[in-house]
């Protein structure tokens, strides 16, 4: 039966990179390797411009009805003056909350071909294969109370609340432990339990939940140390599990280990396996419309979608192999360019992945 994919390209480079990902989907569809129906909807700044709302109800409803959502990126300077409730980012956060996408998987893999593109020494990052499991629907992102209030003195005060319930921590830890069982069985839970009660509870629940996974080696790290260890010796990690805000920060940090934030896909899953798939990079307004953005993170997000939501692991593996092949061919977008490689634009990179996929079939 055909699966429904809702495509929300978003803002900035979103439409450019999503167009390349759709080419990849089209090839697999034409071959009969997958059976999908694509629908399109607006989110973020694009939706605000059209409807005055970064997450129109029609988009949320279409997302709920879909088997999977493919998202580009949201945001840009144009919408920065808007109140937070109308900002493009609210569209993305509303999709995450509305679909209950609590488990965000952010793999950071160093392709050997890109060892020179990392700002870290090749020997520090060579062979890196790390999975960050970020809780995505709780924490200070959604905690109440929040806002900016005016004190009787006339001074204003900004408030956000870091909050986690035991069940929220338990379910994300279970996701991390299950993933680690298929990897090296090592999980590092990241918290700030020396200062924040919220994460003291996080640590307690992580330890308790780990009792159900006797094969897992669980360790704990304070977030400041984890950030330092990520750039000092990143290969010590197998799976990291952490809350929403720490995961946001650590995953950007981890992305640069791999050469470029333009390479990292992500999957955000709910309890029923429905998912949203997006590159972890943003809308990059500075390079939007110039045809130079790296589409590989979005194309690799399609691979994650095929694996996690569409039960097409073979097609997923083929996409990943096609990406390796274009890197082997020496093709590089500007963000991953290094000496001796051939610089290509967004469309040329997408075409090269398509060609590699086709070459794999014949
Ligand atoms: C991410 C992004 C988002 C986040 C923004 C765009 C709301 O940085 O997906 O990491 O903070 O989660
Ligand atoms: Mg982020």
């Amino acid at each position: 039966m055909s699966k429904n994919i809702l495509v929300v390209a978003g803002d900035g480079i979103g439409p450019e990179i999503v167009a390349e990902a759709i080419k990849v989907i089209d090839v697999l569809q034409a071959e009969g390797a997958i059976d999908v129906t694509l629908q399109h909807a607006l989110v973020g700044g694009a939706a605000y411009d059209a409807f005055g709302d970064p997450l129109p109800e029609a988009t949320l409803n279409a997302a709920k009805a879909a088997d999977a959502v493919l998202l580009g990126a949201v945001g840009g300077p144009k919408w920065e003056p808007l109140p937070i409730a109308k900002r493009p980012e609210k569209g993305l956060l509303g999709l995450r909350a509305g679909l209950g996408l609590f488990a965000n998987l952010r793999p950071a893999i160093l392709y050997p071909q890109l060892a020179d593109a990392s700002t870290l020494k090749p020997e520090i990052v060579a062979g890196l294969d790390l999975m960050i499991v970020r809780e995505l629907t709780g924490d200070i992102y959604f905690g109440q109370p929040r806002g900016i209030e005016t004190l009787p003195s006339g001074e204003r005060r900004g408030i956000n609340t870091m909050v986690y319930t035991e069940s929220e921590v338990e379910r994300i830890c279970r996701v991390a432990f299950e993933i680690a069982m298929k990897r090296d069985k090592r999980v590092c839970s990241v918290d700030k339990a020396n200062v924040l009660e919220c994460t003291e509870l996080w640590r307690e629940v992580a330890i308790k939940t780990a009792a159900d996974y006797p094969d897992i080696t669980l360790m704990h790290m304070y977030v400041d140390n984890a950030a330092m260890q990520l750039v000092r010796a990143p290969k010590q990690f197998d799976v990291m599990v952490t809350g929403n805000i720490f995961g946001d920060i650590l995953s950007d940090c981890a992305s640069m280990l791999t050469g470029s934030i333009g390479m990292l896909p992500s999957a955000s899953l709910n309890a029923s396996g429905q998912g949203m798939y997006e590159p972890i990079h943003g809308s990059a307004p500075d390079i939007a419309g110039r045809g130079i953005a790296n589409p590989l993170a979005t194309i690799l997000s399609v691979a994650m979608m095929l694996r996690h939501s569409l039960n097409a692991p073979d097609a997923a593996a083929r996409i990943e192999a096609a990406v390796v092949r274009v890197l082997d061919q020496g093709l590089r977008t500007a963000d991953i360019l290094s000496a001796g490689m051939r610089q290509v634009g967004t469309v040329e990179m997408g075409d090269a992945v398509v060609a590699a996929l086709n070459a794999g079939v014949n």
Side-chain angles (χ1 to χ4, degrees):
M1 211 183 74
S2 186
K3 302 267 193 177
N4 288 318
I5 300 175
L6 183 73
V7 179
V8 277
D11 310 318
I13 59 171
E16 299 166 54
I17 52 178
V18 163
E20 301 313 307
I22 289 177
K23 281 187 201 164
V24 168
I25 293 174
D26 286 345
V27 171
L28 295 168
Q29 174 88 359
E31 270 178 23
I34 56 174
D35 181 7
V36 298
T37 309
L38 302 188
Q39 257 189 299
H40 296 261
L42 294 179
V43 75
Y48 177 79
D49 288 348
F51 305 111
D53 183 350
L55 182 57
E57 215 179 307
T59 300
L60 181 58
N61 287 339
K64 283 181 178 164
D67 294 296
V69 179
L70 179 65
L71 184 127
V74 297
K78 179 178 169 194
W79 302 284
E80 266 162 30
L82 292 173
I84 284 196
K86 294 283 179 194
R87 294 244 187 103
E89 289 77 4
K90 269 288 173 204
L92 175 58
L93 297 174
L95 279 173
R96 290 174 179 171
L99 299 178
L101 305 171
F102 72 92
N104 183 217
L105 317 185
R106 298 193 158 188
I109 294 169
L110 182 87
Y111 292 90
Q113 300 90 335
L114 297 185
D116 287 340
S118 174
T119 46
L120 272 76
K121 294 192 190 99
E123 63 268 26
I124 302 287
V125 290
L128 179 83
D129 179 359
L130 159 71
M131 175 67 90
I132 297 184
V133 178
R134 169 188 176 194
E135 201 290 328
L136 204 59
T137 52
D139 201 352
I140 197 164
Y141 271 59
F142 295 96
Q144 295 290 344
R146 65 184 299 154
I148 300 176
E149 62 183 25
T150 305
L151 299 172
S153 66
E155 189 186 13
R156 291 186 306 155
R157 178 164 73 173
I159 303 157
N160 289 95
T161 304
M162 179 177 261
V163 52
Y164 268 119
T165 60
E166 290 177 297
S167 55
E168 284 174 319
V169 179
E170 183 183 331
R171 68 180 178 175
I172 193 69
C173 286
R174 286 194 188 280
V175 170
F177 295 149
E178 294 291 343
I179 289 173
M181 286 302 288
K182 298 185 195 125
R183 298 173 47 109
D184 202 32
K185 302 186 174 57
R186 291 181 295 117
V187 175
C188 177
S189 170
V190 178
D191 60 42
K192 188 72 185 171
N194 52 342
V195 178
L196 304 172
E197 288 83 355
C198 175
T199 70
E200 188 187 0
L201 179 70
W202 174 288
R203 187 177 288 214
E204 249 177 57
V205 175
I207 292 169
K208 203 165 140 200
T209 309
D212 291 344
Y213 300 83
D215 294 336
I216 295 284
T217 306
L218 173 66
M219 63 172 296
H220 307 272
M221 213 177 256
Y222 298 140
V223 63
D224 48 350
N225 185 27
M228 188 266 279
Q229 294 298 337
L230 264 180
V231 287
R232 191 188 74 86
K235 283 185 276 181
Q236 70 184 285
F237 299 111
D238 177 27
V239 174
M240 292 176 112
V241 63
T242 190
N244 207 343
I245 185 77
F246 296 162
D248 179 45
I249 298 163
L250 293 179
S251 60
D252 262 34
C253 180
S255 73
M256 267 323 284
L257 307 171
T258 72
S260 166
I261 196 167
M263 292 300 297
L264 261 67
S266 77
S268 307
L269 307 173
N270 67 17
S272 50
Q274 194 189 16
M276 182 159 84
Y277 300 84
E278 53 176 315
I280 84 151
H281 61 69
S283 58
D286 51 323
I287 60 164
R290 291 172 52 198
I292 60 170
N294 186 348
L296 292 180
T298 315
I299 289 171
L300 290 167
S301 297
V302 171
M304 290 192 89
M305 177 169 81
L306 298 187
R307 188 168 283 123
H308 292 283
S309 286
L310 302 184
N311 195 22
D314 295 344
R318 283 185 49 214
I319 294 175
E320 287 154 356
V323 167
V324 169
R325 196 175 164 127
V326 299
L327 294 176
D328 277 339
Q329 289 163 353
L331 304 189
R332 302 283 189 272
T333 42
D335 56 308
I336 49 175
L337 191 61
S338 60
M341 299 295 140
R342 186 157 82 77
Q343 186 170 350
V344 295
T346 311
V347 171
E348 208 179 335
M349 186 58 108
D351 287 345
V353 175
V354 164
L357 267 178
N358 283 331
V361 175
N362 300 326

